[in-house]
């Protein structure tokens, strides 16, 4: 028995969870036969693989030790020995829940695509499995080069998902998504290389322990910001997001909103803040400014949208504005609130896109005006949609409340006017979401094709029910999640404030020295 | 009486020359259709040459210091032979299919490869020139080989005229260097350059030599011939052009600049920076508007040469390693891509428009996936080997302080990503056209499958290859 348990303890669980989807993809690749049979088999293989991955990822959660900021489940293998760059995996309280979020959403995406994807089903499922590997790997990577590889690798399957299975201007959106993100990412790569030469390692713990001069920090911070701000996305580099969301298939939007946007926030928490504390402090006003614009401006933009997906896409930008404010408010409540808000937004916005997908599958339009009165013939749908809508608004008792509340509390301690302005976003959020809900679900049921719509089928209930449970759980007992991140966030902030306290008193003038360093 | 020089270091080249002559005889006396036989024998000869090179003398200078062998030359020769061998197989498949199979074809390849090997081992400006010419003359003929085809002959003539001009520049530069430095051997030049005061004559000479070599590797602004020749020449021969001469040319470039002219690094570095930046950006921008996939590949290879030249700009061991590793990845990317292009046939007829790839993902998913992997690799997106190639180059550049150059290169790679993605878009996003591309033949199919699989494999286990490149780079700087 002990032998077995040590064996299980020594399993490289993170590697298994990361690469298990690829095994499923390999199986799908090997299926042969009639198109119909291949499609059916691909769906089932993908579903079971992702479910198994999810179950295994729960093992990570159960075995995860709360109350320590150390990286856990660490694994290390040589990869580029000449540069001492290794395959180094590990999770801490900040990243672990994102792994669960990714593995939780992927099976739901597979289910959501069950009937709506009829073209190239095999390739679609492979793309999703590869995407899952990239996402999980990114959150587990403890080496910056490895992180970069997964971070960029996400682009390939997502590009194909939008471009092949999307609608509308899918080609335009796919290219816009890819090139926007790639441009940001290459600047991250330069920052990465520059850090590497200062420290002699790309190991994330080593980089966190390293000290960079203030001038260098400012440049490195900007390089990273270029990448993470596009990913979050922050105003004004958010314009790829509405396009990508509108044209992506439902499941693609789910992953985009649910996980991909979190990569930016995660990047700030993992790299910008702990590695470049002085620069983070220096640029905080910039982040606050852009985030506030995002919160208020994109909320207003969301109010006037006529396309359901576009509305939710803009609301995502607004919600992620809260996240960046929370991260850079840099106190315990705000940062935990930001992480919680990311998780909450991950499930809620994913659910909202799934809800749009449900009606889109029936009527093949996302035009809000084409709906109305759905509560009469789709009561179950109306209920599910209401839960997610209220969670998005931030009603107490749902996950959205906890995140927003913590962020605002934390931010208020740091800068009350920023908190005040951000709070207007909450009001506007309630406005556009309730307005959306009223137009789609309430009102007279007059249109004949809308009358013909049937309520949720079992498959759709199976998709939405788990999310409702999670949303309520996160809202009613958030400690289950906050406990996980407590120690890591405290550690992060302690290091941050220590670094600021011990910084060199003398601050070199900007400009000339920056240029000197670049050249 | 001078002593008889040591032949042993040159055994690979000597063997290759003799074997080529023997195969020529074989071809002449065998009556009909001996191309397949000569091709495979040539591949065998190249393999044997590679084995001889690997197991031959470790490090030596011979023939009155005209010829040098060390770890670097061995690595470069093996790469060149690999590229030539793979493309020669493709050439045979094409020639058999087009009914233009003649035994001279593999022999021309063999002779040009011999020239490349001499280039790589050249230790003297005269030897360098002779190697370049032996290579180039064979290449001109190869470009025009499809002599009934108007475009091929045009390509041959263009290549010849411009190539002769470049050779002239190279020779003129060499003579200037000789006139001002008083010697043509690399060792002699190295000491002359290091000890003497900066001579404007030598500097001008170097600029001419660089121009000549930049032409051979088709770096901007000496690239004009490339798209036309790539488009006009038969596809597999284009594949050969894009691989072997580029590898040999860049290795020679590296050896010539960091060897004899190491003392003048500040002078030539500026020139190479300009060439590299222009090649990367123009290669990326000009490719966007291309409709012919071969022209697109021409600009793509111009861009890749630009990246490789960054390794040269850095001018140290790390840069050399990056360059060699880049060339290795580039070799398989290009061979694989050209294997796909060669398979672009509609009812037996070759097509070259990129629009012809529309819907390939449905008609031939395997081929589409292979090309997609190769394109992502060319764009330098992880997890493909192309990313690591660029990574090592940029690591060297940033480490040596060329941050701005690295930023320009990376931004150019974003622009470049656009047209690589466009091919993927056409294959995967666009509706199929009426013309359905035929399934590839067995040999081409294997080559494209293996090349694309290697893109993933090299990414996962790069260590042995990088070690090889590192050892070669170290040998280069030892002497």
């Amino acid at each position: 028995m002990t032998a077995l348990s040590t064996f299980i303890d020594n399993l490289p669980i993170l590697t298994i969870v990361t690469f298990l989807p690829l095994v499923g993809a390999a199986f799908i690749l090997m299926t042969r036969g009639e198109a119909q049979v291949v499609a059916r088999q691909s769906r089932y293989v993908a579903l079971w693989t992702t479910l198994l991955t999810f179950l295994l990822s729960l093992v990570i959660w159960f075995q995860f030790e709360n109350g320590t900021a150390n990286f856990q489940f660490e694994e290390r293998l040589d990869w580029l020995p000449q540069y001492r760059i290794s395959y180094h995996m590990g999770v801490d309280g900040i990243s672990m829940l994102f792994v669960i979020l990714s593995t939780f959403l992927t099976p739901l995406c597979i289910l959501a695509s069950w009937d709506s994807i009829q073209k190239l089903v095999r390739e679609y499922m492979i793309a999703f499995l590869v995407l899952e590997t990239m996402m999980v790997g990114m959150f587990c990577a403890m080496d910056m080069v490895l992180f970069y590889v997964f971070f960029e690798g996400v682009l390939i399957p997502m590009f194909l998902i939008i471009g092949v299975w999307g609608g509308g201007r899918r080609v335009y959106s796919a290219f816009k998504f890819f090139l926007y993100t790639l441009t940001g990412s290459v600047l991250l790569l330069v920052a990465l290389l520059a850090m590497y030469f200062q420290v002699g390692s790309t190991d994330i713990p080593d980089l966190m322990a390293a000290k960079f001069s203030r001038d260098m920090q400012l440049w490195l911070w900007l390089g990273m910001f270029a990448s993470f701000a596009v990913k979050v996305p922050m105003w004004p580099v958010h314009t790829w997001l509405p396009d990508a969301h509108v044209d992506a298939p439902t499941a693609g939007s789910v992953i985009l909103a649910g996980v991909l946007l979190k990569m930016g926030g995660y990047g700030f928490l993992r790299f910008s803040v702990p590695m470049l504390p002085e620069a983070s402090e220096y640029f905080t006003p910039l982040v606050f400014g852009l985030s506030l614009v995002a919160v208020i401006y994109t909320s207003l933009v969301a109010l006037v949208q006529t396309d359901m997906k576009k509305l939710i896409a803009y609301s995502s930008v607004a919600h992620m504005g809260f996240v960046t404010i929370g991260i850079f408010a840099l106190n315990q409540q705000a940062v935990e609130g930001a992480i919680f808000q990311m998780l909450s937004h991950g499930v809620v916005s994913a659910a909202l896109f799934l809800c749009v997908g449900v009606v889109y599958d029936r009527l093949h339009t996302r035009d809000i005006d084409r709906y109305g009165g759905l509560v009469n013939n789709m009561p179950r749908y109306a209920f599910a949609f209401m839960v997610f809508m209220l969670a998005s608004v931030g009603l107490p008792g749902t996950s959205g409340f906890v995140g927003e509340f913590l962020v605002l509390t934390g931010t208020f301690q740091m800068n009350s006017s920023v908190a005040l302005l951000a709070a207007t976003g909450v009001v506007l959020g309630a406005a556009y979401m309730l307005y959306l809900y009223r137009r789609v679900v309430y009102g007279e049921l007059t249109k004949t094709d809308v009358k013909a719509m049937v309520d949720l089928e079992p498959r759709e209930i199976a998709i939405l029910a788990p999310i409702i449970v999670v949303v309520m759980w996160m809202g009613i007992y958030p400690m289950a999640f906050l406990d996980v991140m407590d120690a890591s966030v405290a550690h992060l902030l302690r290091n941050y404030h220590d670094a600021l306290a011990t910084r060199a008193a003398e601050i070199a003038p900007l400009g000339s020295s920056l240029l000197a360093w670049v050249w | 009486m001078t002593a008889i020089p040591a032949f042993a270091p040159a055994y690979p080249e000597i063997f290759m020359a003799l074997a080529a002559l023997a195969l020529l005889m074989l071809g002449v006396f065998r009556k009909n259709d001996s191309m397949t036989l000569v091709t495979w024998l040539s591949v065998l000869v190249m393999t044997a040459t590679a084995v001889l090179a690997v197991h031959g003398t470790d490090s030596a200078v011979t023939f009155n210091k005209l010829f040098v062998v060390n770890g670097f030359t061995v690595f470069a020769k093996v790469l060149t032979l690999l590229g030539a061998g793979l493309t020669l197989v493709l050439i045979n498949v094409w020639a058999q299919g087009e009914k233009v199979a003649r035994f001279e074809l593999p022999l021309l390849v063999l002779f040009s490869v011999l020239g490349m090997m001499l280039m790589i081992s050249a230790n003297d400006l005269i030897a360098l020139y002779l190697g370049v010419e032996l290579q180039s003359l064979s290449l001109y003929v190869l470009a025009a080989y499809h002599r009934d085809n108007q475009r091929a002959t045009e390509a041959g003539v263009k290549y010849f005229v411009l190539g002769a001009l470049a050779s002239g520049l190279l020779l003129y530069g060499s003579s200037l260097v000789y006139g001002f430095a008083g010697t043509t051997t690399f060792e002699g030049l190295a000491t002359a350059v290091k000890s003497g005061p900066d001579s404007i004559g030598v500097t001008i000479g170097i600029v001419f030599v660089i121009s000549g070599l930049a032409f051979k590797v088709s770096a901007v602004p000496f690239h004009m011939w490339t798209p036309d020749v790539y488009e006009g020449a038969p596809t597999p021969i284009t594949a050969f052009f894009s691989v072997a001469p580029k590898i040999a040319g860049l290795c020679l470039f590296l050896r010539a600049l960091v060897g004899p002219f190491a003392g003048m690094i500040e002078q030539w570095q500026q020139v190479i920076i300009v060439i590299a930046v222009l090649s990367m950006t123009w290669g990326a921008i000009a490719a966007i508007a291309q409709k012919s996939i071969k022209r697109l590949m021409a600009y793509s290879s111009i861009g890749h040469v630009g990246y490789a030249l960054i390794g040269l700009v850095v001018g140290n061991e790390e840069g050399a390693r990056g360059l060699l590793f880049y060339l290795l990845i580039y070799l398989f990317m290009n061979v694989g891509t050209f294997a796909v292009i060669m398979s672009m046939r509609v009812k037996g007829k070759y097509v070259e428009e990129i629009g012809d790839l529309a819907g390939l993902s449905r008609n031939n998913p395997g081929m589409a996936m292979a090309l997609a992997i190769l394109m992502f690799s060319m764009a330098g997106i992880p997890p493909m080997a192309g990313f690591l190639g660029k990574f090592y180059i940029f690591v060297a550049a940033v480490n040596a302080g060329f941050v701005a150059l690295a930023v320009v290169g990376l931004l150019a790679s974003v622009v470049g990503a656009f047209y690589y993605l466009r091919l993927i878009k056409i294959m995967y996003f666009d509706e199929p056209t009426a013309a359905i591309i035929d399934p590839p033949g067995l040999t081409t199919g294997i080559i494209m499958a293996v090349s694309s699989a290697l893109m993933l494999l090299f990414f996962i286990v790069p260590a042995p290859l990088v070690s090889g490149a590192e050892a070669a780079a170290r040998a280069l700087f030892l002497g």
Side-chain angles (χ1 to χ4, degrees):
Chain A
M1 201 49 212
T2 47
L4 183 67
S5 64
T6 40
F7 172 72
I8 290 173
D9 284 346
N10 288 329
L11 275 183
I13 183 80
L14 293 180
T15 300
I16 294 176
V17 171
T18 305
F19 291 101
L20 187 64
L22 281 192
V23 177
F27 272 112
I28 294 179
L29 207 55
M30 283 187 285
T31 50
R32 289 277 178 275
E34 301 246 335
Q36 286 298 321
V37 181
V38 170
R40 224 174 66 98
Q41 282 177 347
S42 309
R43 289 189 186 109
Y44 276 106
V45 173
L47 180 63
W48 287 115
T49 315
T50 49
L51 279 177
L52 187 61
T53 311
F54 174 57
L55 289 178
L56 281 172
S57 71
L58 287 181
V59 174
I60 301 178
W61 195 354
F62 290 140
Q63 300 209 338
F64 187 84
E65 211 175 306
N66 289 349
T68 165
N70 292 338
F71 290 104
Q72 304 183 30
F73 309 102
E74 278 191 84
E75 299 163 24
R76 193 192 288 273
L77 270 174
D78 276 350
W79 181 39
L80 306 175
Q82 289 85 359
Y83 283 116
R84 280 170 290 127
I85 294 168
S86 55
Y87 171 81
H88 185 191
M89 304 282 263
V91 285
D92 69 351
I94 296 175
S95 56
M96 193 273 285
L97 289 171
F98 289 110
V99 173
I100 311 286
L101 176 69
S102 313
T103 56
F104 172 66
L105 288 179
T106 314
L108 301 178
C109 288
I110 304 284
L111 269 180
S113 320
W114 206 260
D115 293 330
S116 56
I117 300 296
Q118 292 296 340
K119 181 175 88 168
L120 295 169
V121 178
R122 187 166 72 155
E123 285 76 3
Y124 181 86
M125 295 301 165
I126 291 174
F128 259 91
L129 291 169
V130 172
L131 185 60
E132 185 175 19
T133 290
M134 296 294 168
M135 294 187 301
V136 175
M138 200 218 65
F139 288 120
C140 293
M142 293 301 333
D143 183 287
M144 202 167 170
V145 174
L146 192 64
F147 168 86
Y148 184 81
V149 165
F150 285 121
F151 189 80
E152 286 269 273
V154 166
L155 297 183
I156 297 177
M158 203 63 212
F159 172 73
L160 293 174
I161 288 169
I162 299 174
V164 179
W165 295 279
R169 295 192 302 165
R170 59 196 163 92
V171 175
Y172 169 81
S173 298
F175 271 86
K176 195 169 178 182
F177 161 73
F178 198 103
L179 295 177
Y180 250 80
T181 322
L182 185 64
T183 314
S185 300
V186 295
L187 297 174
L188 170 68
L189 184 63
V190 178
L192 187 160
L193 294 178
M195 288 168 83
Y196 166 66
F197 288 115
Q198 171 113 18
V199 182
S201 163
T202 55
D203 217 36
I204 288 175
D206 290 352
L207 290 173
M208 284 180 176
K211 299 257 183 297
F212 300 96
S213 73
R214 180 185 161 88
D215 292 349
M216 191 162 171
Q217 283 198 20
L218 298 181
W219 281 104
L220 293 176
W221 196 93
L222 286 175
M224 291 183 179
F225 185 70
S227 173
F228 299 143
V230 169
K231 209 71 171 201
V232 165
M234 293 178 76
W235 185 85
V237 285
H238 67 283
T239 59
W240 62 270
L241 185 76
D243 285 320
H245 269 313
V246 168
D247 296 328
T250 302
S253 300
V254 169
I255 291 292
L256 257 179
V259 184
L260 262 52
L261 303 192
K262 310 303 173 289
M263 292 181 169
Y266 175 73
F268 282 130
L269 282 169
R270 182 61 83 223
F271 299 100
S272 304
V273 172
M275 294 176 193
L276 313 169
E278 289 178 51
S280 297
E281 190 198 33
Y282 181 84
F283 284 114
T284 296
L286 172 75
V287 175
F288 280 172
L290 295 181
S291 305
L292 286 177
V293 174
V295 168
I296 296 166
Y297 164 76
T298 52
S299 297
L300 292 172
V301 173
L303 264 177
V304 297
Q305 293 306 314
T306 54
D307 182 304
M308 294 164 93
K309 265 188 162 180
K310 220 165 193 164
L311 191 150
I312 299 170
Y314 279 110
S315 87
S316 289
V317 181
H319 280 121
M320 291 308 286
F322 273 98
V323 171
T324 42
I325 290 176
I327 291 173
F328 283 88
L330 284 160
N331 53 41
Q332 188 83 18
Q333 284 98 329
V335 173
E336 284 193 20
I339 300 175
F340 198 91
Q341 169 82 342
M342 280 200 267
L343 295 169
S344 158
H345 178 258
V347 285
V348 172
S349 67
L352 287 171
F353 278 115
L354 287 167
C355 285
V356 175
V358 166
V359 287
Y360 181 79
D361 284 347
R362 289 166 173 68
L363 214 56
H364 297 287
T365 173
R366 292 182 307 264
D367 201 356
I368 297 172
D369 295 339
R370 290 279 290 106
Y371 295 93
L374 285 180
V375 70
N376 299 308
N377 56 343
M378 299 178 75
R380 287 197 213 113
Y381 174 75
F383 171 74
F385 195 7
M386 183 189 70
V387 172
F388 301 132
M389 183 269 297
L390 291 175
S392 173
V393 169
L395 188 80
T398 61
S399 62
F401 172 74
V402 182
E404 280 181 0
F405 183 75
L406 283 173
V407 168
L408 290 175
T409 321
T411 312
F412 190 82
Q413 296 167 25
M414 190 199 178
N415 188 332
S416 50
S417 44
V418 170
L420 182 73
L421 286 169
T424 59
V426 182
V427 180
L428 288 168
Y432 61 72
M433 285 315 290
L434 292 172
Y435 186 43
L436 167 74
Y437 192 73
R438 192 196 71 72
R439 282 182 290 172
V440 173
V441 176
Y442 295 139
E444 289 289 303
L445 182 63
T446 48
K447 304 178 182 81
T448 44
D449 49 356
V450 176
K451 270 184 197 157
M453 288 166 71
V454 288
D455 206 355
L456 297 181
E457 55 174 283
R459 177 179 63 86
E460 289 161 341
I461 294 174
I463 299 170
L464 295 177
I467 310 185
I468 295 181
V469 172
V470 171
V471 166
M472 303 304 283
W473 178 25
M474 287 176 81
I476 293 167
Y477 190 65
M479 288 319 284
F481 300 85
L482 294 175
D483 278 345
V484 172
M485 56 183 96
D486 251 347
S488 293
V489 171
H491 178 74
L492 171 82
L493 292 170
R494 198 164 48 246
N495 284 348
Y496 171 78
H497 291 295
D498 286 355
L500 289 186
T502 59
R503 75 180 133 189
E506 204 173 306
I507 292 169
L510 280 172
S512 60
S513 48
L514 297 187
L515 284 172
W517 184 76
V518 169
W519 295 106
Chain B
M1 280 294 284
T2 46
I4 295 172
F7 284 104
Y11 277 160
E13 284 78 6
I14 294 170
F15 166 73
M16 197 165 183
L18 293 177
L21 294 175
L23 288 179
L24 185 61
M25 288 297 128
L26 178 80
V28 171
F29 289 107
R30 289 251 317 190
K31 284 287 178 301
N32 41 11
D33 191 28
S34 53
M35 175 162 169
T36 305
L37 177 71
V38 176
T39 298
W40 288 108
L41 285 175
S42 301
V43 172
L44 196 68
V45 167
M46 289 194 213
T47 318
T49 311
V51 171
L52 275 176
V54 171
H55 292 286
T57 320
D58 279 344
S59 176
V61 180
T62 183
F63 297 114
N64 286 325
K65 297 187 176 171
L66 288 176
F67 189 89
V68 67
V69 174
N70 56 32
F72 175 81
T73 63
V74 170
F75 190 90
K77 281 175 192 171
V78 171
L79 276 191
T80 311
L81 287 167
L82 198 58
L86 286 171
T87 43
L88 183 55
V89 173
L90 291 180
I91 289 174
N92 184 43
V93 172
W94 165 81
Q96 301 294 344
E98 289 290 280
K99 306 268 183 294
V100 289
R102 300 166 66 91
F103 71 91
E104 288 92 341
L105 197 44
L107 286 174
L108 283 167
V109 172
L110 217 49
F111 278 115
S112 74
V113 173
L114 183 62
M116 293 170 205
M117 294 183 52
L118 292 174
M119 277 160 64
I120 292 168
S121 270
N123 200 36
D124 183 291
L125 289 176
I126 306 281
L128 181 157
Y129 181 75
L130 288 177
V132 168
E133 280 308 278
L134 177 55
Q135 173 217 230
S136 300
L137 284 170
S138 314
L139 293 184
Y140 304 147
V141 183
L142 277 173
Y145 174 80
H146 205 189
R147 60 184 181 197
D148 299 331
N149 182 314
Q150 202 179 347
R151 283 198 310 173
T153 40
E154 186 191 322
V157 173
K158 239 178 214 164
Y159 195 14
F160 174 68
V161 173
L162 289 171
L165 181 69
S167 298
L169 289 177
L170 184 61
L171 203 54
Y172 184 57
S174 305
S175 63
L176 274 175
V177 170
Y178 174 64
F180 283 87
T183 176
T184 54
T185 64
F186 282 9
E187 277 88 0
L189 283 171
T191 33
V193 164
K194 214 173 286 171
S195 57
D198 281 1
S199 149
I200 190 81
V202 177
T203 311
I204 293 177
I206 292 175
V207 171
F208 275 108
V209 171
I210 289 177
S211 311
L213 290 176
F215 177 91
K216 300 293 177 192
V217 299
S218 65
V220 179
F222 305 100
H223 66 287
M224 279 78 147
W225 59 276
T226 320
D228 294 336
V229 171
Y230 271 39
E231 192 185 17
T235 308
I237 292 177
T238 310
F240 176 68
F241 285 176
S242 78
V243 178
K246 293 275 188 306
I247 293 173
L250 280 165
C251 290
L252 172 69
F253 220 144
L254 185 64
R255 277 208 51 230
L257 288 186
V258 303
F261 301 121
M264 298 178 74
I265 185 161
E266 272 144 34
Q267 270 82 7
W268 58 255
Q269 212 166 36
Q270 312 165 19
V271 182
I272 304 292
I273 288 177
V274 172
I275 291 180
V277 167
L278 288 177
S279 302
M280 290 185 299
T281 45
W282 185 242
I285 292 167
I288 292 173
Q290 299 307 322
K291 289 201 173 63
S292 153
I293 190 160
K294 282 161 78 180
R295 286 187 85 85
L296 187 135
M297 285 304 291
Y299 285 106
S300 152
S301 76
I302 291 170
H304 285 299
V305 166
Y307 294 109
L309 284 176
I310 293 184
L312 179 57
V313 168
V314 177
N316 59 19
E317 211 176 296
E318 209 176 15
R321 174 184 59 188
L323 190 152
L324 289 176
F325 186 64
Y326 198 86
L327 288 179
L328 177 70
I329 308 274
Y330 170 80
L331 189 166
F332 286 103
M333 281 190 310
N334 255 36
V335 170
T337 309
F338 273 102
V340 174
I341 298 174
M342 235 188 81
S343 310
M344 286 172 61
R345 280 176 310 169
V346 176
K347 298 202 177 72
K349 261 180 67 88
Y350 285 96
V351 290
E352 284 166 11
E353 295 282 305
I354 57 174
D356 294 319
L357 287 168
L360 189 68
S361 60
R362 255 152 290 180
N363 305 327
N364 196 334
M367 193 162 136
M369 191 181 270
L371 187 56
I373 288 175
L374 290 163
M375 286 301 121
F376 279 124
S377 185
M378 291 230 184
I381 311 289
M384 310 295 167
F387 167 73
L388 283 185
K390 287 204 171 73
F391 180 76
Y392 277 93
I393 290 277
F394 290 124
V395 161
V398 174
N399 201 11
F402 294 99
V403 178
L405 185 62
V407 172
V408 172
L410 284 165
L411 292 178
S413 81
V414 175
V415 179
F418 172 76
Y419 65 83
Y420 294 124
L421 289 182
R422 198 159 64 108
L423 282 184
I424 295 169
K425 172 224 147 198
I426 288 166
M427 289 190 298
Y428 281 89
F429 303 175
D430 289 1
E431 291 305 314
T433 50
I436 291 177
I437 288 180
D438 305 344
L442 180 66
T443 324
T444 29
I446 290 174
I447 288 181
M448 72 176 86
V450 169
S451 311
S452 53
L454 284 178
M455 288 304 109
L456 291 167
L457 185 71
F458 286 170
F459 181 82
I460 298 167
V461 268
L465 305 173
V466 181
S467 306
E470 193 168 52
R474 201 176 307 126
L476 175 69
F477 284 89
L478 278 179

